[in-house]
C-alpha cells in the first residue's frame, strides 16, 4: 500500500493547481458559520480526503466548489475559471466538477441509462447513440451494466450509488467530489462503492472526498484535511495522520472513529 | 429514499381488498334508500313525467339521417369551452406557479396578486366583468370572454396545485440536476415537472372536473352551451325535471370519462416508478 501511495504522490507533484480556494466564508441564514476563512489548493490528480465531525463545514465546502451554495466572501478558481455571480462561469464549472451525494439523488422517473445519458445529451449536446454508448461503457466500468434498463428503485443502495458515480463521470469531469458517498449504505455495500472510487483514484482522477472511511483515506489519499468549525485544524499525508497526529483535537477525533 | 417510497406504495396498494362484500352491501343499502326517497318525492310532487319527449332534444331523425338536437349542440359547445379552458388554465396555472417560485421579487408579487384577486372573488362577477366591461374595450366576442374568464379562474387554483407539486420534489433532485450542469429550465422540464405532475394528477383531475361544471356559468352571457340549451328547451316545453336531469347526466358522462382517462394514465405512470 505505502510504496504505491508514495510513488503516486511524487508523480502528482507535477500537476498544477486545479482548485484554488482563498479565504472563503459561508454563513447560513440561520446564523450557523459553516466556513471561516477557509483556504486550500488542490493539484491535478490529487486525492484529497476531508474528515471532521458533523457540522464542521466539509459538505459545505464541496457544495461551494460546485456553486450549490454561494460563498459570502473569498474566491474560488477552478481550472482557471473564477466561480462568481456570472451564471456562465458557474455552468462551466459544474460541467467540470462532478458531485456524488450521500443520498444518491438519482432521478426516480428515469431508467438507469436515461439517468446517465441525460446530462451529456442536454449539456454536452451529444447524440443519443454516442451518449448511450458512453453510458454503457461507464456502467460496465462500475460493474452494473446489466441494470441499464432498470429504474433506480429496483436497485440496492450500493448499486444506486455506483449509478450516481457513472452519471457524474458521464460529463467527463476534471474533478470528482464525493460527499459522504458511503454513509447511507448498508455495511456490505460500502466495499463495492469504495472499489469504484479507488479505481478512479488510481486512474489519476482529481478527487475531493468527504468520508469517514479511514481505510480509504489511508489507501489512496495524497493529503488529508481535518476540519472543525469551518477551519482546517490539521492537514498532512494519511501516514502523518494515522501515525503522528499533532493536535490534541485531531487525536481525540481519530480515537473516536478508528 | 426511493426504495423506501417503493415499499410504501406497495403497502398502500394492498389495503383496498379487505371486505368487498361489506362495501357492496353498504352500496346497495344506500341505493335502495335513495330510490325510496326519490319515489316518495315524485309521488308527492304530483309531477307529470314525460321522458318520451326527451330524446328528440338530443338527436333528431329526419329523412333517414341523424342530426344533433339542441342538447347535443350544447354539449359540443361545452366541449369546446372546456377544451380551450383546460389548455389555457393549465398554462396559466403552471406559469403562475413558476413565477411564484422564481427568485424575482416582482414576478412573485404579480403572481400572488393575480392569485388572491381571482381566488377571492366570485366567478360569475369575473365573467360579467370580462364580458360587459373588458370585451367592448378590446373588442372580443362572448366565447372568448367566457373562455378567458374560466381559464383565469381555474388557473388560480391550478397554480397552487402545481406549486404544491413542485415544492414536494426533494431538494436533492434539484441539486443533482444542477451539479450535472443542467439549466433551471432543463431541470424543470426533465426532472422536476415530470415527477411533480405524477404526484398532482389526482387534484389536477378534480380541478379539471370543476372547470367542466363551472363552464355552465358562461350560459349567463348567452353562450349556447349545454346549460343554456337546456334552459331554452325548458322555456319552450316546461319539461323542467326531465331536461335538467338529462343535462346533469350529460355532464356526468363527460366528467366520468375524464376520470377514467386519468386513472388509466395514473396506473401507467405508477408501473414505471
Amino acid at each position: 500500500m505505502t510504496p504505491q501511495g508514495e510513488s503516486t504522490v511524487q508523480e502528482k507533484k507535477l500537476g498544477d493547481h486545479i482548485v484554488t480556494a482563498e479565504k472563503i466564508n459561508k454563513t447560513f441564514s440561520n446564523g450557523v458559520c459553516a466556513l471561516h476563512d477557509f483556504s486550500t489548493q488542490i493539484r491535478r490528480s490529487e486525492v484529497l480526503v476531508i474528515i471532521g465531525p458533523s457540522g464542521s463545514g466539509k459538505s459545505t465546502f464541496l457544495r461551494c466548489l460546485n456553486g450549490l451554495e454561494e460563498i459570502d466572501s473569498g474566491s474560488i478558481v477552478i481550472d482557471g475559471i473564477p466561480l462568481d455571480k456570472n451564471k456562465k462561469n458557474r455552468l462551466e464549472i459544474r460541467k467540470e466538477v462532478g458531485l456524488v451525494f450521500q443520498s444518491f439523488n438519482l432521478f426516480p422517473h428515469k431508467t438507469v441509462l436515461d439517468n446517465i445519458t441525460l446530462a451529456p445529451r442536454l449539456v454536452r449536446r451529444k447524440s443519443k447513440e454516442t451518449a448511450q454508448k458512453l453510458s454503457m461503457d461507464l456502467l460496465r466500468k462500475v460493474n452494473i451494466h446489466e441494470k441499464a434498463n432498470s429504474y433506480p428503485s429496483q436497485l440496492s443502495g450500493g448499486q444506486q450509488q455506483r449509478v450516481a458515480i457513472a452519471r457524474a463521470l458521464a460529463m467527463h469531469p476534471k474533478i470528482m467530489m464525493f460527499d459522504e458517498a458511503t454513509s447511507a449504505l448498508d455495511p456490505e455495500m460500502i466495499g463495492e462503492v469504495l472499489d469504484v472510487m479507488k479505481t478512479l483514484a488510481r486512474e489519476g482522477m482529481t478527487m475531493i472526498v468527504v468520508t469517514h472511511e479511514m481505510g480509504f483515506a489511508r489507501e489512496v489519499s495524497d493529503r488529508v484535511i481535518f476540519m472543525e468549525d469551518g477551519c482546517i485544524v490539521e492537514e498532512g499525508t494519511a501516514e502523518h495522520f494515522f501515525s503522528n497526529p499533532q493536535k490534541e483535537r485531531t487525536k481525540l477525533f481519530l480515537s473516536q472513529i478508528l | 429514499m426511493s426504495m423506501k417510497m417503493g415499499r410504501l406504495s406497495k403497502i398502500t396498494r394492498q389495503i383496498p381488498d379487505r371486505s368487498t362484500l361489506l362495501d357492496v352491501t353498504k352500496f346497495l343499502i344506500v341505493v335502495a334508500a335513495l330510490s325510496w326517497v326519490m319515489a316518495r318525492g315524485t309521488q308527492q310532487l304530483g309531477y307529470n313525467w314525460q321522458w318520451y319527449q326527451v330524446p328528440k332534444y338530443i338527436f333528431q331523425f329526419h329523412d333517414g339521417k341523424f342530426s344533433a338536437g339542441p342538447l347535443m349542440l350544447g354539449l359540443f359547445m361545452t366541449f369546446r369551452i372546456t377544451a380551450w379552458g383546460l389548455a389555457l388554465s393549465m398554462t396559466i396555472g403552471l406559469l403562475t406557479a413558476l413565477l411564484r417560485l422564481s427568485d424575482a421579487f416582482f414576478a412573485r408579487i404579480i403572481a400572488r396578486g393575480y392569485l388572491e384577486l381571482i381566488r377571492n372573488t366570485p366567478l360569475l362577477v369575473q365573467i360579467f366583468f370580462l364580458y360587459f366591461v373588458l370585451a367592448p374595450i378590446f373588442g372580443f366576442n362572448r366565447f372568448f370572454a367566457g373562455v378567458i374568464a374560466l381559464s383565469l379562474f381555474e388557473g388560480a387554483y391550478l397554480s397552487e396545485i402545481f406549486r404544491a407539486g413542485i415544492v414536494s420534489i426533494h431538494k436533492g433532485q434539484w441539486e443533482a440536476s444542477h451539479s450535472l450542469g443542467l439549466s433551471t429550465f432543463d431541470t424543470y422540464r426533465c426532472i422536476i415537472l415530470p415527477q411533480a405532475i405524477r404526484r398532482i394528477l389526482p387534484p389536477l383531475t378534480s380541478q379539471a372536473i370543476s372547470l367542466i361544471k363551472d363552464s355552465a356559468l358562461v350560459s349567463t352571457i348567452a353562450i349556447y352551451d349545454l346549460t343554456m340549451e337546456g334552459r331554452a328547451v325548458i322555456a319552450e316545453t316546461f319539461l323542467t325535471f326531465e331536461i335538467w336531469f338529462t343535462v346533469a347526466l350529460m355532464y356526468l358522462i363527460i366528467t366520468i370519462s375524464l376520470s377514467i382517462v386519468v386513472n388509466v394514465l395514473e396506473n401507467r405512470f405508477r408501473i414505471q416508478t
Side-chain angles (χ1 to χ4, degrees):
Chain A
M1 251 187 277
T2 320
Q4 196 193 7
E6 272 181 356
S7 72
T8 44
V9 170
Q10 275 175 355
E11 232 173 81
K12 283 166 192 176
K13 274 180 185 160
L14 301 168
D16 56 332
H17 289 136
I18 189 166
V19 176
T20 307
E22 241 171 301
K23 294 205 163 192
I24 50 177
N25 280 287
K26 170 75 190 174
T27 306
F28 287 110
S29 51
N30 59 10
V32 174
C33 179
L35 291 172
H36 186 70
D37 277 346
F38 187 92
S39 304
T40 193
Q41 290 184 319
I42 297 153
R43 293 174 177 278
R44 267 178 224 280
S45 293
E46 185 176 0
V47 176
L48 170 65
V49 166
I50 305 178
I51 57 173
S54 68
S56 58
K58 307 163 296 204
S59 297
T60 309
F61 175 57
L62 293 194
R63 294 162 61 83
C64 285
L65 285 187
N66 176 292
L68 285 180
E69 304 282 356
E70 246 173 84
I71 53 173
D72 300 332
S73 65
S75 74
I76 296 174
V77 179
I78 295 176
D79 203 20
I81 309 166
L83 179 62
D84 46 26
K85 293 242 150 73
N86 186 330
K87 275 190 178 169
K88 217 175 157 189
N89 283 353
R90 185 182 305 182
L91 188 68
E92 279 307 311
I93 285 175
R94 281 174 173 164
K95 283 188 202 170
E96 307 305 340
V97 181
L99 177 57
V100 176
F101 300 87
Q102 179 177 352
S103 51
F104 329 136
N105 295 343
L106 293 178
F107 307 130
H109 61 299
K110 290 186 177 295
T111 62
V112 164
L113 192 63
D114 290 342
N115 261 279
I116 303 176
T117 54
L118 182 74
R121 289 184 63 189
L122 283 176
V123 184
R124 295 270 192 220
R125 305 262 165 233
K126 293 201 167 150
S127 73
K128 192 177 175 183
E129 291 71 31
T130 320
Q132 282 186 344
K133 195 177 166 296
L134 161 79
S135 303
M136 285 312 291
D137 289 344
L138 286 168
L139 282 173
R140 259 187 285 277
K141 181 171 180 175
V142 299
N143 201 17
I144 196 170
H145 52 282
E146 76 280 6
K147 298 280 187 189
N149 293 313
S150 304
Y151 285 90
S153 60
Q154 297 164 326
L155 306 183
S156 73
Q159 291 172 326
Q160 289 192 49
Q161 193 61 295
R162 282 183 282 148
V163 172
I165 293 173
R167 181 175 70 175
L169 286 174
M171 286 296 289
H172 293 309
K174 295 188 175 120
I175 307 167
M176 281 288 281
M177 307 198 292
F178 296 82
D179 187 2
E180 303 203 23
T182 55
S183 300
L185 297 176
D186 291 336
E188 74 266 29
M189 291 170 184
I190 292 176
E192 63 195 46
V193 173
L194 287 180
D195 284 344
V196 171
M197 290 165 68
K198 285 174 194 165
T199 310
L200 280 180
R202 295 205 183 93
E203 287 171 359
M205 173 66 81
T206 312
M207 290 165 71
I208 310 172
V209 184
V210 169
T211 187
H212 297 299
E213 295 295 328
M214 292 303 132
F216 175 83
R218 207 186 295 226
E219 201 174 321
V220 294
S221 77
D222 300 303
R223 181 161 57 114
V224 178
I225 286 181
F226 174 60
M227 273 182 87
E228 186 168 47
D229 298 330
C231 303
I232 296 176
V233 175
E234 191 165 350
E235 76 177 292
T237 62
E239 259 79 345
H240 159 84
F241 258 85
F242 296 113
S243 57
N244 189 22
Q246 297 299 305
K247 300 264 173 52
E248 278 309 310
R249 183 68 190 90
T250 318
K251 287 177 192 166
L252 180 67
F253 179 77
L254 288 171
S255 72
Q256 278 165 342
I257 61 164
L258 283 175
Chain B
M1 242 309 280
S2 40
M3 275 184 65
K4 261 185 219 157
M5 271 163 48
R7 264 182 235 142
L8 259 180
S9 65
K10 256 178 229 156
I11 291 163
T12 46
R13 252 178 274 165
Q14 278 164 4
I15 292 169
D17 31 30
R18 63 183 168 116
S19 76
T20 323
L21 192 71
L22 190 71
D23 287 342
V24 172
T25 321
K26 270 193 228 161
F27 175 73
L28 288 179
I29 290 171
V30 170
V31 169
L34 277 178
S35 319
W36 184 78
V37 170
M38 285 273 284
R40 289 282 302 175
T42 45
Q43 242 174 32
Q44 287 190 349
L45 201 64
Y47 186 78
N48 177 25
W49 295 93
Q50 302 174 49
W51 282 105
Y52 66 91
Q53 294 229 37
V54 172
K56 68 170 174 268
Y57 296 109
I58 302 174
F59 283 113
Q60 281 159 358
F61 192 70
H62 281 305
D63 312 326
K65 265 196 285 186
F66 277 110
S67 62
L71 291 184
M72 212 57 192
L73 291 175
L75 184 68
F76 289 147
M77 183 51 113
T78 294
F79 265 136
R80 267 180 69 197
I81 292 168
T82 49
W84 281 100
L86 273 176
L88 260 176
S89 62
M90 292 275 174
T91 315
I92 292 172
L94 183 58
L95 278 178
T96 309
L98 294 180
L99 285 183
R100 276 201 73 182
L101 292 167
S102 84
D103 292 330
F105 177 73
F106 197 58
R108 290 204 302 268
I109 286 290
I110 290 179
R112 192 66 196 270
Y114 153 74
L115 172 74
E116 297 298 350
L117 182 73
I118 298 286
R119 199 169 54 168
N120 296 316
T121 53
L123 173 57
L124 193 60
V125 175
Q126 292 167 22
I127 292 176
F128 284 162
F129 181 77
L130 253 129
Y131 182 58
F132 292 113
V133 181
L134 294 186
I137 301 174
F138 297 104
F140 46 76
N141 62 24
R142 61 184 77 209
F143 179 79
F144 191 81
V147 167
I148 292 290
L150 257 182
S151 307
L152 284 175
F153 183 77
E154 304 293 336
Y157 288 87
L158 283 169
S159 79
E160 287 294 87
I161 296 175
F162 274 116
R163 192 167 67 95
I166 291 167
V167 299
S168 80
I169 302 300
H170 193 264
K171 208 176 89 199
Q173 295 288 309
W174 281 99
E175 293 179 348
S177 179
H178 277 156
S179 77
L180 287 168
L182 266 71
S183 63
T184 301
F185 177 78
D186 282 338
T187 303
Y188 265 124
R189 186 171 65 91
C190 301
I191 309 298
I192 304 300
L193 287 179
Q195 292 183 61
I197 284 171
R198 270 160 229 219
R199 289 192 191 175
I200 62 174
L201 218 43
L204 224 48
T205 316
S206 299
Q207 204 55 44
I209 287 170
S210 279
L211 184 141
I212 293 170
K213 292 184 297 173
D214 289 345
S215 74
L217 280 175
V218 300
S219 62
T220 54
I221 55 172
I223 293 175
Y224 275 77
D225 73 328
L226 185 50
T227 304
M228 188 65 183
E229 293 284 5
R231 283 206 297 206
V233 173
I234 291 166
E236 253 176 57
T237 61
F238 297 106
L239 293 170
T240 320
F241 285 101
E242 291 89 335
I243 296 298
W244 276 132
F245 282 148
T246 311
V247 165
L249 191 73
M250 290 167 91
Y251 276 111
L252 198 65
I253 292 170
I254 314 180
T255 50
I256 289 199
S257 349
L258 182 71
S259 296
I260 291 171
V261 169
V262 175
N263 235 326
V264 170
L265 280 179
E266 224 175 307
N267 280 330
R268 182 173 297 175
F269 282 145
R270 195 166 46 188
I271 292 162
Q272 289 182 356
T273 39

